Amino acid sequence: MKYGNFDDNAREYVITEPETPRPWINYIGRQDYVGMISNTGGGYSFYQDPRYRRLVRYRYNNAPRNVGGRGLYVRDAESGEYFSPTWQPARVDLDDYECRHGLGYTTIRGEKDGVAGEVTYFVPPGEDLEAWRVTVENDSDEPRSLQLFSLVEFCLWDAMDDISNYQRNYNTGEVEVEDSVIYQKTEYRERRNHFAYFACSADIDGFDTQRDAFVGQYDGFDEPQVLEDGQATDSIAHGWSPIGSHQVDLELEPGESEDIVFLLGYHENPEDEKFEAPGVLNKEYVEGTIEEYCDPDALDAAFEELNEFWDDQLSALQVETPDEETDRMVNTWNAYQNTVTMNLARSASLYETGLTRGIGFRDSLQDQLAVLHQFPDRARQRILNLAKIQLKDGGAYHQYTPLTGEGNADIGGGFNDDPMWLVMSTAAYVKETGDTSILEEEVVYENEPGTEAPLAEHLQRAVEYVWERRGPHDLPLIGHADWNDCLNLNCFSENPDESFQTAEHDVDEERAESVFIGGQFVYAVEELAELAEQTDVLPEAAEDYQRYADEMAEAVADAGWDGKWFRRAYDHFEDPIGSSENDEGQIFVESNGMCGMAEIGREDGKVQDAMDSVRERLATEHGIVLHQPAFTEYDERYGEITSYPPGYKENGSVFCHTNPWIMITEAKLGNGERAFDYYKRICPAAREDISDVHTTEPYVYAQTIAGPDAPTTGEAKNSWLTGTAAWNYVAITQHILGVRPNHDGLVVDPAIPADWDEYEVHREFRGATYEITVENPENVESGVDRVEVDGEEIDGQTIPDLGDGETHDVRVVMG
Ligand code: GLC
Ligand code: GLC
């Protein structure tokens, strides 16, 4: 069952049924001002920090989902009937409904009884505001007297306080109204110098700023009092719940339409210019912006600019393959999701509340892997920002807060995979850009002035951190957890009120080890050894590190090998996890993926055996599950992983983030069929037809898909903000389609389904453009017979870094 379709030319997903199985959302805004819009106009907005600078309220755990926050209503003044063109909040059945989620904008159109309302939401590039460009159209044969009502429910800035501290915040709300602009200035009288405004381009026929006046004491957003009455009350909020609502009366002849613009913006005034008169907000700095964008033409120009921005962003890598779903993911949606995850990490979605999590060290570093070709400068900056929260011992704070850039002390460090991601992402950055100067950037530790050291030294400390923390089998100690946050082998928690990740350790000495980090260490240290050859800021590192990598690989191949696959870990009692010796959790995907990518024991067939075991024991029609058998009981030796019912989350779901590690390993082995088969199993576009099972958006990846042990097998959860996006993009573009940067140039090394005869990759790389055509005359899965650059055959499979600003034709013949 489908709820819409892809419009590939427009780069839009078109939803034709408002009652999707879950709210299907989109993001507007990229950097400072960010909003989410669902297919029924819901969602929330914030400036930079989703907790401390929240503009639009979100009602957590609400039923129905996603009501409040934003709204639009069109009312027939004569009949008193009204509807929402976005279906919610009014939830009146529409004669016609369509939502188009595009890149950085969403357009929703709803029609009822001959009147259509259409709204496009977007953030004009570079501005701290969201625009709603609304058109109301009389499609009937009669002149119509209509009324348009807007609604923004303001959040009182600190979104956590907003939902928890009523004794205070029922008293703090303050607004001002001037002409058609409503200013939300709660707490501005004291320590805030920021405020929000909600402007309307039309002269208004009334307004409301107090929620209860608009909605009524006992009514809902679906039947607000003001819509029942047909007249705003001009309420001024003193405390309680400030909102912004405009009333615009319209007389429309048959066929006539009117454009009305609403702007919801954020602004910070200079500290000494907060007020224009005692207690009166200084509006001077926003007046110009409001005037500018209330003009629909100026807004249209900004919209054009937004589209050009995206054309430009996506043009760095475009493909044409025999598979339509691959093309639409790679060319548009996966790349788009990558930019969202790059910007927001795991902070704010409809599943991530924006209240608790900052920018995660491990998560954000992995997100960079997929955007390096798109915006290398921003990725460079993010890598450096993350390096600032590295600890002096080489470990890292697990998260930082976007507003301050400081490490989150509540969570601290001790996730022992964290530092390795810094090495892996820095290496990937240098391979993409050739910019080794990043290694010389002076970066502090722990955000502490005076501790500056070149990034290269940060990487070395990262390696030493893991190297110095090895356990009884010479494998890395796991700490609180590695990639799998829920494998908590030092926790032994009996207290339901504590977090598995941060609980005080019960163990006197940490002994639990991670095979996953062992694999990751080998991978990362080999990258570092290669990096060292590119630059002289890593003196002598290359040789030392090769030795570290070899020794670790030996430990993994020895204690980390179970006979047919890589084990997962050793617990506190030195017993294996992920072994045929276990009753449950006998085999795990993530250690097999990571050790496979690191090619540990490849020469003696271990990697192939591991992949065969994964295929036999973990691969399902909905993707590859984390482990089997799932844990059926809570086991304090293992921690949170055993807290989830079987088949969900870390206890045996298809945790989509890990699947690409298997795709990449299969591709490295030359198994194109298998690699692509796994790619398609979790590819959201390929699951569109089973939307009733999958339930989340068919255009973006979700974190998990319930595994076979769960009663709701195949159901996805936690869409949008997941490392799945970055890794799948890396898997399909760099390993299956096989075009990936190394230090010397672009390698072409396909691993594809044998029945593909040909495909094309357009790739910008270090200032030149490569039009790559891969031909597969013998219908093989992998292997390259010859590569021609501009008609000349080259040695090997690496297109040299030509860096000449020109376009080059590359012909690759497989065989
Ligand atoms: C979540 C976390 C990520 C972790 C994964 C597995 O996605 O954001 O850091 O690796 O869960 O536990
Ligand atoms: C829970 C989730 C995991 C997440 C962690 C940190 O343990 O299962 O995916 O990474 O919380 O927020």
Side-chain angles (χ1 to χ4, degrees):
M1 169 74 184
K2 298 210 294 180
Y3 293 84
N5 56 278
F6 287 89
D7 181 341
D8 292 324
N9 288 335
R11 292 184 169 141
E12 290 172 335
Y13 191 79
V14 187
I15 302 167
T16 47
E17 159 62 55
E19 289 172 81
T20 48
R22 305 272 177 258
W24 284 359
I25 70 162
N26 190 18
Y27 284 82
I28 58 172
R30 277 170 293 117
Q31 273 178 285
D32 293 332
Y33 191 103
V34 174
M36 264 160 260
I37 312 278
S38 77
N39 59 307
T40 60
Y44 57 92
S45 301
F46 57 91
Y47 176 80
Q48 284 188 352
D49 189 305
R51 171 168 171 189
Y52 291 109
R53 296 288 182 277
R54 183 80 64 94
L55 275 86
V56 176
R57 178 169 284 160
Y58 183 71
R59 220 169 240 90
Y60 294 92
N61 271 331
N62 196 41
R65 283 190 175 88
N66 201 11
V67 170
R70 294 191 194 85
L72 274 177
Y73 305 82
V74 177
R75 183 174 187 276
D76 184 307
E78 267 149 43
S79 68
E81 305 274 328
Y82 57 89
F83 68 99
S84 289
T86 51
W87 188 61
Q88 296 219 74
R91 278 203 308 281
V92 169
D93 282 347
L94 298 170
D95 300 334
D96 213 3
Y97 159 91
E98 185 182 85
C99 166
R100 290 180 166 263
H101 284 318
L103 305 183
Y105 68 89
T106 288
T107 299
I108 307 176
R109 182 187 164 90
E111 194 165 336
K112 179 79 184 166
D113 297 336
V115 176
E118 177 171 311
V119 51
T120 297
Y121 304 91
F122 72 102
V123 175
E127 300 292 349
D128 298 328
L129 62 90
E130 64 179 67
W132 309 1
R133 193 192 190 295
V134 178
T135 305
V136 182
E137 194 176 294
N138 177 4
D139 288 339
S140 68
D141 322 329
E142 310 282 325
R144 303 285 285 266
S145 298
L146 302 170
Q147 298 175 305
L148 176 68
F149 291 87
S150 66
L151 172 69
V152 162
E153 193 182 8
F154 294 117
C155 185
L156 303 181
W157 301 117
D158 176 348
M160 184 72 104
D161 197 71
D162 184 80
I163 53 170
S164 57
N165 191 7
Y166 301 136
Q167 60 81 26
R168 170 176 164 83
N169 60 36
Y170 281 168
N171 298 283
T172 51
E174 288 191 299
V175 298
E176 281 181 40
V177 182
E178 201 176 285
D179 302 325
S180 300
V181 190
I182 295 163
Y183 296 89
Q184 126 80 332
K185 56 169 193 176
T186 302
E187 293 184 342
Y188 186 79
R189 59 168 54 247
E190 24 127 351
R191 295 159 301 171
R192 297 187 186 278
N193 63 350
H194 47 263
F195 59 93
Y197 56 87
F198 189 37
C200 174
S201 62
D203 290 337
I204 56 176
D205 296 282
F207 64 86
D208 274 286
T209 69
Q210 181 58 271
R211 188 185 75 206
D212 290 350
F214 179 81
V215 175
Q217 283 292 347
Y218 291 96
D219 302 288
F221 290 102
D222 52 343
E223 291 184 343
Q225 191 61 50
V226 161
L227 269 293
E228 294 292 313
D229 297 346
Q231 184 56 51
T233 73
D234 295 358
S235 58
I236 293 290
H238 302 287
W240 299 108
S241 295
I243 61 161
S245 176
H246 308 91
Q247 174 184 340
V248 181
D249 294 349
L250 303 165
E251 299 294 331
L252 294 183
E253 293 300 318
E256 199 187 355
S257 69
E258 188 145 332
D259 295 332
I260 294 130
V261 174
F262 298 97
L263 305 174
L264 174 61
Y266 171 93
H267 187 73
E268 286 170 17
N269 268 339
E271 203 45 53
D272 53 354
E273 293 179 61
K274 280 177 65 170
F275 301 100
E276 66 179 47
V280 183
L281 181 76
N282 176 10
K283 308 170 185 78
E284 179 186 342
Y285 294 105
V286 295
E287 278 162 357
T289 311
I290 292 175
E291 201 184 303
E292 180 180 351
Y293 291 106
C294 273
D295 172 3
D297 291 338
L299 210 52
D300 291 346
F303 189 66
E304 257 320 289
E305 207 186 305
L306 177 72
N307 289 329
E308 281 162 21
F309 167 84
W310 278 107
D311 282 345
D312 187 51
Q313 286 292 302
L314 300 183
S315 66
L317 205 176
Q318 290 284 300
V319 303
E320 207 181 310
T321 73
D323 186 68
E324 181 182 59
E325 284 149 1
T326 300
D327 291 359
R328 62 174 56 122
M329 291 311 297
V330 172
N331 293 338
T332 305
W333 293 99
N334 195 354
Y336 181 58
Q337 186 179 5
N338 292 339
T339 64
V340 175
T341 57
M342 174 329 171
N343 289 328
L344 298 178
R346 307 295 169 267
S347 62
S349 69
L350 292 194
Y351 305 84
E352 304 285 5
T353 59
L355 299 174
T356 53
R357 295 174 82 176
I359 305 289
F361 194 85
R362 135 189 342 131
D363 291 332
S364 191
L365 283 163
Q366 291 174 81
D367 293 342
Q368 305 312 307
L369 296 172
V371 296
L372 295 168
H373 63 292
Q374 223 176 298
F375 33 81
D377 297 345
R378 293 195 52 217
R380 185 183 202 272
Q381 193 52 54
R382 180 61 72 83
I383 291 171
L384 293 171
N385 288 345
L386 287 160
K388 288 182 197 162
I389 60 161
Q390 193 181 9
L391 301 167
K392 290 177 203 132
D393 66 9
Y397 275 113
H398 197 49
Q399 284 176 9
Y400 80 86
T401 312
L403 271 187
T404 62
E406 276 174 29
N408 180 346
D410 293 343
I411 300 181
F415 294 80
N416 287 351
D417 64 317
D418 269 340
M420 291 298 90
W421 301 111
L422 184 63
V423 180
M424 290 163 73
S425 297
T426 305
Y429 168 82
V430 176
K431 283 182 173 172
E432 178 67 43
T433 60
D435 168 27
T436 52
S437 77
I438 190 173
L439 297 165
E440 294 168 54
E441 287 285 345
E442 296 279 325
V443 185
V444 290
Y445 290 96
E446 303 178 24
N447 244 311
E448 202 180 294
T451 61
E452 287 80 0
L455 182 65
E457 192 196 297
H458 285 250
L459 304 188
Q460 287 177 290
R461 285 201 201 182
V463 170
E464 298 296 339
Y465 177 90
V466 174
W467 188 245
E468 283 162 13
R469 287 169 180 70
R470 282 175 296 156
H473 301 89
D474 287 330
L475 292 166
L477 295 178
I478 196 166
H480 291 309
D482 58 25
W483 172 86
N484 190 329
D485 266 330
C486 299
L487 192 59
N488 315 118
L489 305 181
N490 293 306
C491 184
F492 295 89
S493 182
E494 292 178 336
N495 173 4
D497 304 330
E498 70 187 8
S499 147
F500 289 98
Q501 275 92 43
T502 56
E504 282 297 309
H505 293 181
D506 229 12
V507 296
D508 32 359
E509 188 205 349
E510 286 193 17
R511 279 198 300 275
E513 300 166 286
S514 164
V515 177
F516 175 88
I517 303 178
Q520 196 196 10
F521 181 90
V522 173
Y523 187 110
V525 173
E526 282 179 350
E527 293 286 337
L528 189 64
E530 270 187 43
L531 256 188
E533 287 165 14
Q534 305 297 313
T535 152
D536 48 17
V537 290
L538 282 164
E540 295 123 49
E543 262 177 47
D544 286 356
Y545 288 158
Q546 199 49 58
R547 183 175 60 83
Y548 281 16
D550 293 345
E551 272 184 47
M552 185 68 83
E554 223 169 280
V556 170
D558 182 12
W561 184 248
D562 197 58
K564 289 187 175 162
W565 59 79
F566 291 99
R567 291 181 171 176
R568 178 62 181 85
Y570 281 90
D571 69 15
H572 180 69
F573 310 100
E574 298 183 31
D575 292 326
I577 300 174
S579 160
S580 51
E581 291 173 27
N582 300 105
D583 293 333
E584 296 178 336
Q586 292 179 336
I587 169 171
F588 281 69
V589 71
E590 63 266 33
S591 50
N592 285 291
M594 193 49 84
C595 297
M597 290 200 297
E599 299 180 284
I600 297 170
R602 176 173 173 165
E603 48 317 319
D604 57 21
K606 286 198 172 66
V607 177
Q608 185 63 61
D609 286 351
M611 292 304 103
D612 292 345
S613 300
V614 165
R615 193 161 183 88
E616 201 178 297
R617 299 181 151 240
L618 300 178
T620 77
E621 61 174 311
H622 297 292
I624 307 166
V625 294
L626 273 182
H627 56 266
Q628 279 291 294
F631 296 101
T632 49
E633 280 169 32
Y634 177 60
D635 185 338
E636 64 170 24
R637 290 175 304 162
Y638 297 170
E640 187 170 0
I641 192 168
T642 60
S643 77
Y644 286 109
Y648 292 108
K649 282 284 263 182
E650 278 87 344
N651 189 14
S653 77
V654 175
F655 212 99
C656 298
H657 186 135
T658 60
N659 283 214
W661 297 340
I662 301 300
M663 299 170 205
I664 292 171
T665 305
E666 291 283 15
K668 285 190 172 190
L669 292 170
N671 301 329
E673 294 280 354
R674 283 187 179 189
F676 190 69
D677 167 38
Y678 291 140
Y679 174 74
K680 289 301 290 276
R681 292 188 199 199
I682 62 167
C683 173
R687 298 174 62 81
E688 189 189 20
D689 286 341
I690 53 162
S691 283
D692 271 336
V693 176
H694 185 75
T695 71
T696 59
E697 296 91 334
Y699 42 91
V700 291
Y701 285 97
Q703 182 194 51
T704 64
I705 298 174
D709 300 294
T712 60
T713 314
E715 180 190 51
K717 285 197 185 114
N718 199 1
S719 56
W720 280 98
L721 301 184
T722 161
T724 309
W727 275 107
N728 273 279
Y729 190 80
V730 169
I732 184 75
T733 61
Q734 302 193 4
H735 297 274
I736 296 175
L737 301 178
V739 178
R740 62 175 170 269
N742 73 11
H743 290 295
D744 307 321
L746 266 186
V747 182
V748 188
D749 187 18
I752 56 169
D755 64 1
W756 284 17
D757 296 329
E758 188 175 307
Y759 65 93
E760 284 168 28
V761 176
H762 159 104
R763 179 68 152 84
E764 292 166 18
F765 176 67
R766 301 191 199 171
T769 303
Y770 301 88
E771 301 291 357
I772 305 168
T773 306
V774 179
E775 297 166 19
N776 188 16
E778 314 274 324
N779 287 105
V780 293
E781 289 181 53
S782 59
V784 166
D785 179 45
R786 56 189 281 141
V787 179
E788 291 166 15
V789 180
D790 296 323
E792 301 278 329
E793 183 166 357
I794 60 166
D795 278 343
Q797 285 170 242
T798 305
I799 309 166
D801 168 16
L802 298 169
D804 54 6
E806 304 286 322
T807 298
H808 300 278
D809 285 323
V810 179
R811 177 167 176 248
V812 178
V813 183
M814 295 176 69

